[in-house]
């Protein structure tokens, strides 16, 4: 089974963990606990093929920015999350994308731009058009999601798997490493 | 005031009453009052009828007795009027004076009347007075012209009395045809008549004489015409002379004019010159000002030049002078001079001189600071480290030593970026040596303290359990899936508290040192200002930009770094990045040392990642400056600890899944037993932590895995029945979860309870079974018959279920036998159940309940089907209770 290393990035409090946990465990976590780093594995079927997703849920708070280079080096596909209720989280993504392209040293990186918390329509400050145009600029997929209302959550990851498949079609089936943990 | 209508009316009245009788006509009237007596009277211009109209001015008064009676008071000929004074040309003037034999002052009641009166009076005077005419003063000129607008206005106003108006118009025209004879003509005519006084007698003779005279006159006239020709010629001559004279005069005038023209031109030229001189003067003044400005800006006093040439940076005074001079130089080099002026050679020269000074001074500063940094680095580096305390040395003395040079560094940053960068590198290299050594010592000491503790606790352990020495295995202490006696050595919770305290001390020790160094660097290297990287040597025209940039840099220092909006965020980020890079250079070994220190715990205590996670999180999440070097270093270490934590938990999970049962395994499975200790340790660490969520996530996974394990292992347990394994383990888990009170595990706690109850029920059902088996079978047969339609009361008539048969079956269960059976059962249960769980009483009680239920059922059946037969079991409920309690007590 092919393994897909997916990294979820974005500013603090945009709902990276909520999206990930909703996808992996089908639970909505209401409480906010800043993540340090969590990794999850989930097997899904995409286009008739079994895939093992290794999802790395990262910290959004500023202290942990030094780790990002490493995440970007190891990840194959990236979920860039902002909250439609906070403009600054949207603005931060530009730098994040540039960093990914720099680390990967290519313009073509599987990526999905995600505007989360779309259930909070009355608190919206980032318009959907704005998100779309940023995605056009990034040349990547875009969706507005809600981890709470379970809107578009699975699509993020399925889309990313398809992007990875398209970019690098499966060659030889190597036996992937079991553990996600990094030995220090 | 009288209205126009009234005016017309009074005119009409006067005409009718007074003048008509005398054949006179009233041309104009004005109602006036004299100043003294208020009674109004009327001034009228009256004319007699044609052909020879005589115009007079009449003053009419109203009779005092009878209102309708008017009297002529006085009248004057028009030539008696010497002057008329309107007093004021304003229309609103009521007064007017008439100079007759004396001065009359009138006050007209109606302004229109007054106007009309004056106009008519004037016209009549113009028309009929010869010789000296009355002078009109202060009367509007328009009134005095024939077609005065007032007349038209009057005509319009008097439209009511149109017919009167028409008459008046006609008569006025008639009057105009008459022209008075001039005085001269009158005299001539008089003389003529007097010479020919006979004419009246003989007109024919008179005519003849007249024609004769006319003839004579004709001839005389011709003669005189002829005679006048000479005079005319003479006159022509005179005129010609006059013309030539005039021509001469004109040429002279022309020449004068020419001269004047020259003068004018000259004057204009002089004026222009004067203006030019003035402009030149102004320009000179401006130039002077500009030059003064340039000179004052570019001038560097001699004393300062000296200070720059041979700076004395060692003494405070020398430093002060050097800094002041350097700042003056900077100011001069950045002075705001018009770009055009920069082409001046003097300015260029001065700039070159500046440049030389700058380079020389910069080189001196660079050399001096360089030496100072290296010296300070070596000085401290040479000091032996003897401290055995776990403290990180404080280098504020270095900072103190360097602080006086702060302004020099700022100067260097602004003026000579290359030198500044070089100095920064030297500083980093010198200081990083010291910090490197300090940090390594510090962590070595800390690690030593860890291993000391390890040794002391290990010795205790070894002494108490020397037998296990051989069995020191690779299985880490606390592994859930493995029996306790196979674990490697571990530590007590007291040790953990000591380790935690040690870690806290290490972190707390690092924070102030790093913060102090960071603050010093920001200040000393002016890192909170992004200065232009371009040089400030303004020898070319490019310097305009440079000036702008350096000005913005100066601005930047003046204004706090939150002056601008969005780009400020970027600037901040850049500053943070720079500071972090510098700190990274200074404390390069901190992160690996910290990580290695943290990992030194791992060898001692497999649970280390739990409390290190909690402790480090406190420091990382509570940090104010989340972007600082130390915060990010700690954060990186934290991520690694978190990974170790997850790995540890993953291993625990795995150990549960892979746990194997041995022949001598106890009923309580190892992971269930170990989980208690594990959970209590974890709770002790996480109880008040923000990271509870991380732990609870794993609790869920672990407990679920344990439940799965219990289910799996209960089937393959060597000695104990699976129901008992399940019952005891679930009961254990339930008790533990109830005691832990972890909110996230509430659902699993309930789950454990129901699983336990289920297992208990299954066990009782299986092993208690039916001790009165035959009786049960007998009544099952009875029930079948009843189901086939036999009445319950008629059951006893059936052969197989007669009273005798029932008695026979009952006789097989005497009380003694029943008790014996129960005793055997008790022994079996006792053997099944483990002592630790202490569920024997619970199970026994459950069995007693079961037995009573079965007994009650049978009794009820007997009463229903064999009522009145006086059949009973050989023991009653009291007996059963006694059996159970006797058995339980006796064991």
């Amino acid at each position: 089974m092919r393994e897909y290393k997916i990294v979820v990035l974005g500013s603090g409090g945009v709902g990276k963990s909520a999206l990930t946990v909703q996808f992996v465990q089908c639970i909505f976590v209401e409480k906010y606990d800043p993540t340090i780093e969590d990794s999850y594995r989930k097997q899904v079927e995409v286009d008739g093929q079994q895939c093992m997703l290794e999802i790395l849920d990262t910290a959004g708070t500023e202290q942990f920015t030094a780790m990002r280079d490493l995440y970007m080096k190891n990840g194959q596909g990236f979920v860039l999350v902002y909250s439609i209720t906070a403009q600054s989280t949207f603005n931060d993504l530009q730098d994040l994308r540039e960093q990914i392209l720099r680390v990967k040293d290519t313009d073509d990186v599987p990526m999905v731009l995600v505007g989360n918390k779309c259930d909070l329509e009355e608190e919206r400050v980032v318009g959907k058009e704005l998100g779309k145009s940023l995605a056009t600029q990034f040349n990547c997929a875009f969706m507005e999601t809600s981890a709470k209302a379970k809107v578009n959550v699975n699509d993020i990851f399925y889309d990313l798997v398809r992007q990875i498949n398209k970019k690098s079609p499966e060659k030889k089936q190597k036996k992937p490493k079991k553990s996600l943990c990094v030995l220090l | 005031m009288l209205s126009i209508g009234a005016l017309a009316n009074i005119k009409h009245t006067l005409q009718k009453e007074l003048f008509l009788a005398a054949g006179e006509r009233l041309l104009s009237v004005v109602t006036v009052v004299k100043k003294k007596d208020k009674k109004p009277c009327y001034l009228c211009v009256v004319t007699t009828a044609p052909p020879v109209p005589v115009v007079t001015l009449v003053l009419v008064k109203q009779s005092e007795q009878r209102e309708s009676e008017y009297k002529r008071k006085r009248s004057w000929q028009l030539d008696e009027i010497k002057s008329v004074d309107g007093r004021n040309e304003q229309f609103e003037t009521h007064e007017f004076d008439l100079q007759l034999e004396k001065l009359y002052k009138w006050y007209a009641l109606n302004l229109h009347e007054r106007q009309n009166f004056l106009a008519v009076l004037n016209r009549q005077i113009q028309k009929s007075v010869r010789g000296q005419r009355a002078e009109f003063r202060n009367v509007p000129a328009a009134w005095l012209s024939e077609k005065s607008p007032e007349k038209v206005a009057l005509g319009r106003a008097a439209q009511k009395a149109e017919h009167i108006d028409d008459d008046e118009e006609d008569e006025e025209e008639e009057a105009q045809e008459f022209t008075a004879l001039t005085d001269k003509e009158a005299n001539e005519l008089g003389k003529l008549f007097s010479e020919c006084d006979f004419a009246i007698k003989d007109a024919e003779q008179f005519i003849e004489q007249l024609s004769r005279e006319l003839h004579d006159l004709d001839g005389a006239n011709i003669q005189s015409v002829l005679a006048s020709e000479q005079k005319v010629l003479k006159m022509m001559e005179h005129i010609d002379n006059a013309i030539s004279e005039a021509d001469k005069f004109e040429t002279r005038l022309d020449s004068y004019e020419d001269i004047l023209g020259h003068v004018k031109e000259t004057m204009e030229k002089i004026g222009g010159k004067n203006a030019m001189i003035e402009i030149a003067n102004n320009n000179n003044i401006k130039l002077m000002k500009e030059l003064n400005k340039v000179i004052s800006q570019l001038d560097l006093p001699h004393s300062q030049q000296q200070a720059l040439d041979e700076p004395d940076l060692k003494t405070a005074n020398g430093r002060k002078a050097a800094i002041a001079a350097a700042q003056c130089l900077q100011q001069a080099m950045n002075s705001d001079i018009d770009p055009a002026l920069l082409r001046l050679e003097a300015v260029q020269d001065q700039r070159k001189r500046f440049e030389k000074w700058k380079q020389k001074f910069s080189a001196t500063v660079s050399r001096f600071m360089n030496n100072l940094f290296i010296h300070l680095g070596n000085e401290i580096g040479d000091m032996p480290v003897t401290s055995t305390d776990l403290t990180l040395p404080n280098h504020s003395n270095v900072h103190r030593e360097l602080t006086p040079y702060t302004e020099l560094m700022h100067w260097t940053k602004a003026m000579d970026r290359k030198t500044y960068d070089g100095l920064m590198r030297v500083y980093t290299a010198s200081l990083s040596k010291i910090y490197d050594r300090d940090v390594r010592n510090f962590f070595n000491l800390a690690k030593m303290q860890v291993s000391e503790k390890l040794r002391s606790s290990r010795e205790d352990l070894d002494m108490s359990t020397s037998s296990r020495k051989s069995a020191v295995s690779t299985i880490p202490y606390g592994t859930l899936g493995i029996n306790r006696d196979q674990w490697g050595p571990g530590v007590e919770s007291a040790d953990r508290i000591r380790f935690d305290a040690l870690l806290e001390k290490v972190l707390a020790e690092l924070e102030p040192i790093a913060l102090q160094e960071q603050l010093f660097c920001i200040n000393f290297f002016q890192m909170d200002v992004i200065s232009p990287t371009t040089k400030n040597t303004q020898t070319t025209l490019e310097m305009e930009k440079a000036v702008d940039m350096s000005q913005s840099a100066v601005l930047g220092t003046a204004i706090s770094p939150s002056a601008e909006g969005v780009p400020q965020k970027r600037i901040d980020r850049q500053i943070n990045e720079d500071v972090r890079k510098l700190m990274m250079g200074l404390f390069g070994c901190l992160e690996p040392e910290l990580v290695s220190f943290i990992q030194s715990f791992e060898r001692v205590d497999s649970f280390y990642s739990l409390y290190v996670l909690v402790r480090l999180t406190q420091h990382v999440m509570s940090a104010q400056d989340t972007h600082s070097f130390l915060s990010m270093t700690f954060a990186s270490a934290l991520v690694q600890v978190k990974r170790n934590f997850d790995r540890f938990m993953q291993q625990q999970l795995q150990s549960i899944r892979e746990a194997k049962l041995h022949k001598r395994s106890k009923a309580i499975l190892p992971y269930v037993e170990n989980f208690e200790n594990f959970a209590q340790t974890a709770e002790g660490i996480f109880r008040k932590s923000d990271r509870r969520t991380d732990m609870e996530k794993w609790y869920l996974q672990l407990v679920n895995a344990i439940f799965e394990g219990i289910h799996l292992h209960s089937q393959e347990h060597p000695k104990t029945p699976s129901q008992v394994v399940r019952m005891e383990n679930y009961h254990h888990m339930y008790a533990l979860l109830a005691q832990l009170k972890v909110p996230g595990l509430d659902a699993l706690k309930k789950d454990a309870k129901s699983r336990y109850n289920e297992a208990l029920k299954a066990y009782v059902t299986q092993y208690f079974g039916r001790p009165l088996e035959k009786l049960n079978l007998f009544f099952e047969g009875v029930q079948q018959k009843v189901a086939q339609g036999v009445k319950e009361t008629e059951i006893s008539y059936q052969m197989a279920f007669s009273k005798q048969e029932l008695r026979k079956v009952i006789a097989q269960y005497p009380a003694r036998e029943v008790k014996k059976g129960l005793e055997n059962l008790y022994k079996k249960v006792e053997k099944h159940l483990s002592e630790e769980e202490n569920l024997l009483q619970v199970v026994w009680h459950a069995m007693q309940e079961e037995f009573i239920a079965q007994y009650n059922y049978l009794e009820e059946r007997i009463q229903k089907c064999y009522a009145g037969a006086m059949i009973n079991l050989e023991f009653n409920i009291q007996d059963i209770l006694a059996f159970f309690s006797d058995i339980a007590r006796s064991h």
Side-chain angles (χ1 to χ4, degrees), chain B residues 454-502:
Chain B
L454 169 73
R455 213 176 303 125
S456 60
S457 60
R458 195 57 55 79
E459 275 163 13
D460 299 345
L461 210 75
D462 287 351
M463 275 199 278
S464 59
T465 60
S466 53
S467 58
R468 279 189 208 152
K469 213 168 185 180
S470 57
V472 168
S473 60
T474 51
I475 296 164
Y477 177 87
T479 306
L480 286 172
I482 309 291
N483 266 332
R484 217 190 170 100
D485 49 11
Q486 288 174 302
W487 289 351
V491 294
E492 300 295 309
S493 69
D495 284 327
R496 266 185 208 129
I497 291 167
R498 274 204 297 280
F499 290 153
D500 191 26
L502 184 62

Side-chain angles (χ1 to χ4, degrees), chain B residues 558-829:
Chain B
I559 302 167
S560 68
S562 63
E564 283 165 77
V566 181
Q568 191 59 44
K569 209 179 157 192
R570 288 225 140 168
I571 292 171
D572 279 349
R573 198 183 302 159
Q574 184 60 44
I575 289 170
N576 290 335
E577 193 80 25
D578 291 346
V579 172
R580 213 153 48 230
K581 248 184 227 158
L582 179 71
M583 290 295 286
M584 200 85 89
L586 286 171
F587 292 94
C589 70
L590 196 148
E591 188 174 338
E593 283 290 332
L594 178 64
V595 170
S596 126
F597 167 68
I598 288 170
Q599 280 184 340
S600 73
F601 286 112
E602 190 173 20
R603 288 195 297 277
V604 183
D605 180 10
S606 50
F607 278 76
Y608 84 103
S609 60
L610 278 71
Y611 51 83
V612 175
L613 178 70
V614 170
R615 180 61 60 192
L616 207 49
T617 302
Q618 279 173 7
H619 283 263
V620 172
M621 294 299 182
S622 68
Q624 295 297 311
D625 47 348
T626 51
H627 46 73
S628 75
F629 163 75
L630 200 66
S631 289
M632 291 181 86
T633 305
F634 283 0
S636 298
L638 177 59
V639 169
Q640 297 182 357
V641 169
K642 174 69 171 35
R643 286 178 186 167
N644 287 342
F645 169 77
D646 285 341
R647 197 175 48 196
F648 174 66
M649 291 300 168
Q650 189 65 42
Q651 281 166 358
Q652 298 288 15
L653 196 63
Q654 206 58 34
S655 77
I656 293 170
R657 289 185 180 145
E658 288 169 0
K660 290 201 174 62
L661 293 180
H662 302 282
K663 288 238 167 84
R664 46 195 180 93
S665 283
K666 289 187 285 184
I668 297 294
L669 297 165
Y671 41 83
V672 174
E673 191 179 7
N674 294 338
F675 186 70
E676 180 171 2
N677 179 38
F678 173 86
Q680 275 162 356
T681 307
E683 276 304 288
I685 293 163
F686 280 95
R687 186 158 288 130
K688 284 171 195 156
S689 166
D690 296 334
R691 303 306 320 171
R692 269 205 77 84
T693 337
D694 289 328
M695 192 61 229
E696 287 194 14
K697 262 187 228 165
W698 281 109
Y699 276 149
L700 280 176
Q701 292 204 45
L702 290 170
V703 172
N704 274 320
I706 287 171
F707 284 4
E708 276 167 36
I710 291 171
H711 184 76
L712 204 73
H713 287 133
S714 66
Q715 319 281 351
E716 46 188 63
H717 202 275
K719 305 177 284 192
T720 322
S722 70
Q723 294 93 333
V724 174
V725 174
R726 283 210 300 277
M727 180 179 75
E728 294 201 318
N729 283 295
Y730 284 133
H731 177 262
H732 193 90
M733 284 307 289
Y734 169 68
L736 182 55
L737 293 178
Q739 180 198 333
L740 282 176
K741 290 190 183 115
V742 176
L745 293 175
D746 265 356
L748 284 173
K749 183 179 80 182
K750 279 176 197 148
D751 196 20
K753 191 178 182 187
S754 71
R755 281 168 192 251
Y756 152 68
N757 283 331
E758 219 171 84
L760 175 65
K761 213 170 151 195
Y763 179 66
V764 169
T765 310
Q766 171 99 31
Y767 284 91
F768 185 69
R770 293 193 289 195
L772 311 174
E773 180 67 13
K774 283 175 183 157
L775 261 174
N776 285 94
L777 286 175
F778 180 84
F779 275 101
E780 270 168 25
V782 170
Q783 276 314 98
Q784 262 174 14
K785 287 284 168 199
V786 171
Q788 282 163 15
V790 182
K791 281 184 182 163
E792 282 179 341
T793 45
E794 288 165 7
I795 281 290
S796 54
Y797 301 115
Q798 300 271 332
M799 269 300 280
F801 303 107
S802 64
K803 289 171 189 167
Q804 284 78 11
E805 282 300 311
L806 178 60
R807 285 207 180 90
K808 246 190 250 172
V809 178
I810 287 174
Q812 286 181 14
Y813 294 104
R816 206 167 48 79
E817 281 300 312
V818 170
K819 191 180 177 188
K820 212 169 152 193
L822 284 176
E823 256 169 15
N824 287 336
L825 179 64
Y826 187 86
K827 274 176 196 149
K828 198 154 86 185
V829 170

Side-chain angles (χ1 to χ4, degrees), chain B residues 412-427:
Chain B
T412 312
K413 184 181 188 190
M415 298 301 281
D416 192 348
R417 196 55 188 241
K418 225 168 114 188
T419 305
Y420 167 82
D421 289 342
L423 284 177
M424 209 150 141
R425 273 197 298 278
V426 174
Y427 176 81

Side-chain angles (χ1 to χ4, degrees), chain B residues 32-225:
Chain B
V32 292
V33 289
K34 276 191 180 175
K35 284 276 152 84
K36 287 167 193 169
D37 95 64
K38 295 282 183 212
K39 185 95 177 144
C41 50
Y42 307 95
L43 265 178
C44 305
V45 180
V46 179
T47 180
T48 56
V52 187
V54 175
V55 185
T56 47
L57 181 67
V58 181
L59 179 66
V60 178
K61 276 197 172 169
Q62 209 167 5
S63 160
E64 280 177 26
Q65 291 81 25
R66 290 166 58 191
E67 286 268 311
S68 59
E69 207 174 294
Y70 300 92
K71 271 189 211 160
R72 284 171 189 250
K73 186 80 179 170
R74 286 204 58 174
S75 71
W76 298 273
Q77 293 300 316
L78 287 185
D79 50 7
E80 283 176 82
I81 301 169
K82 299 208 175 57
S83 71
V84 179
D85 189 350
R87 301 290 283 274
N88 196 330
E89 290 200 13
Q90 294 292 318
F91 175 73
E92 280 85 3
T93 317
H94 288 272
E95 296 88 356
F96 65 98
D97 303 343
L98 290 178
Q99 179 74 42
L100 295 159
E101 76 282 349
K102 62 168 189 172
L103 186 67
Y104 289 86
K105 285 177 184 286
W106 303 106
Y107 181 86
L109 288 180
N110 184 299
L111 288 173
H112 288 282
E113 272 184 354
R114 173 176 173 269
Q115 182 191 354
N116 186 40
F117 174 77
L118 289 177
V120 169
L121 185 60
N122 175 52
R123 200 162 62 238
Q124 293 305 326
I125 286 172
Q126 294 299 327
K127 211 187 278 179
S128 46
V129 176
R130 278 166 292 277
Q132 190 70 43
R133 284 176 188 148
E135 186 192 357
F136 278 74
R137 284 193 299 263
N138 299 325
V139 177
W143 296 3
L144 304 181
S145 64
E146 281 290 319
K147 292 239 156 73
S148 62
E150 282 72 19
K151 199 180 145 193
V152 180
L154 184 75
R156 251 193 282 120
Q159 261 174 350
K160 272 190 198 166
E162 211 172 335
H163 60 283
I164 299 172
D165 228 27
D166 284 344
D167 289 352
E168 197 175 50
E169 211 78 23
D170 290 342
E171 281 162 35
E172 268 179 30
E173 263 165 43
E174 244 173 74
Q176 273 163 7
E177 277 165 28
F178 170 81
T179 47
L181 287 172
T182 60
D183 287 344
K184 200 179 166 196
E185 280 169 340
N187 286 340
E188 292 291 326
L189 213 57
K191 220 165 110 189
L192 185 66
F193 283 125
S194 65
E195 278 172 19
C196 308
D197 49 2
F198 59 90
I200 301 140
K201 288 164 216 169
D202 187 355
E204 201 167 313
Q205 201 181 346
F206 180 58
I207 291 167
E208 200 177 309
Q209 193 181 336
L210 278 180
S211 69
R212 204 166 47 238
E213 278 180 9
L214 188 63
H215 190 79
D216 289 349
L217 282 172
D218 250 2
N221 193 27
I222 289 164
Q223 273 181 341
S224 76
V225 167

